Amino acid sequence: MGLYPPSERIWWSEPIAKTEIVWIVLAFIWGLIMFFMMIYWHAAGEQNLSNEAYRIDPEVFAERTEAMVEKYTVREQGETGIPVVHPPPSSDVYLIARTWEWWPILELEKGESYRLHLSSMDWQHGFSLQPVNINLQVYPGYEMVLTLTPTETGEFGIVCNEYCGIGHHEMLGRIIVVEK
Ligand code: CUA
């Protein structure tokens, strides 16, 4: 038996083979399961962050970040001179994305919660926290806010994962987690 065009032009009123109906029903049920799993994983999964987004003027965001940096800088990072900031636990912490850096370097305490605000000064960047694989898009004019509670000490890398121009591959940042 070969493959031929249907002999009747109105092919959809042809009877459907039982196996085909079974597969259509199975695929439909599986589709529904996958759909409701999205809602389930939002609550129960560990990979999907419940973050918030608000409109913000890039200048206002820069002012808030600079105020935090001015108050809580503990040292500067060697070669780059980027400030390392140690804000108090439970506070609002700010991280700027801009061509082509993450500013400043945040030093957080293990087991404490912070409200992390992310925004861009110019165009779209991607916040990718390594090696924990947290990914967020960062836009100018909007701040992404999430509650962050580090569970391990160490140095975490931030990679920009949205192509943002010639220096994209050098846009690396850092979050340091220390003991209380
Ligand atoms: Cu910033 Cu790519």
Side-chain angles (χ1 to χ4, degrees):
M1 203 183 111
L3 275 177
Y4 299 102
S7 51
E8 298 291 324
R9 267 185 65 82
I10 308 186
W11 52 268
W12 57 85
S13 59
E14 300 268 318
I16 301 174
K18 202 176 154 202
T19 6
E20 193 172 357
I21 273 286
V22 168
W23 279 114
I24 288 170
V25 169
L26 283 178
F28 181 70
I29 292 170
W30 183 243
L32 282 180
I33 291 171
M34 297 288 275
F35 177 78
F36 286 106
M37 285 298 275
M38 289 195 295
I39 299 162
Y40 171 75
W41 283 118
H42 182 76
E46 288 184 350
Q47 73 272 53
N48 292 358
L49 295 167
S50 302
N51 47 277
E52 305 147 45
Y54 304 98
R55 272 180 190 275
I56 191 162
D57 191 310
E59 277 178 29
V60 175
F61 191 86
E63 276 168 24
R64 290 181 190 171
T65 312
E66 279 155 20
M68 175 197 72
V69 169
E70 204 165 297
K71 224 166 162 184
Y72 301 117
T73 296
V74 285
R75 60 181 183 278
E76 281 183 355
Q77 202 226 13
E79 332 85 80
T80 58
I82 295 179
V84 179
V85 179
H86 190 122
S90 314
S91 65
D92 287 276
V93 299
Y94 298 85
L95 185 62
I96 283 178
R98 62 185 169 212
T99 47
W100 287 281
E101 64 173 5
W102 298 94
W103 192 89
I105 294 171
L106 296 169
E107 188 179 82
L108 308 176
E109 294 176 18
K110 182 183 159 184
E112 297 288 352
S113 291
Y114 301 85
R115 293 274 290 167
L116 175 62
H117 300 243
L118 296 164
S119 192
S120 166
M121 293 296 107
D122 34 51
W123 51 67
Q124 190 182 347
H125 298 283
F127 175 90
S128 178
L129 190 64
Q130 304 294 330
V132 285
N133 200 21
I134 288 172
N135 293 285
L136 295 162
Q137 285 177 313
V138 186
Y139 293 101
Y142 289 88
E143 60 171 354
M144 198 73 101
V145 187
L146 54 137
T147 304
L148 188 77
T149 311
T151 52
E152 281 169 49
T153 57
E155 284 203 10
F156 298 83
I158 305 165
V159 177
C160 180
N161 64 3
E162 295 282 353
Y163 182 70
C164 56
I166 195 84
H168 164 69
H169 64 288
E170 288 180 342
M171 191 168 162
L172 306 168
R174 202 174 299 180
I175 291 179
I176 302 165
V177 180
V178 295
E179 289 288 350
K180 282 184 218 179

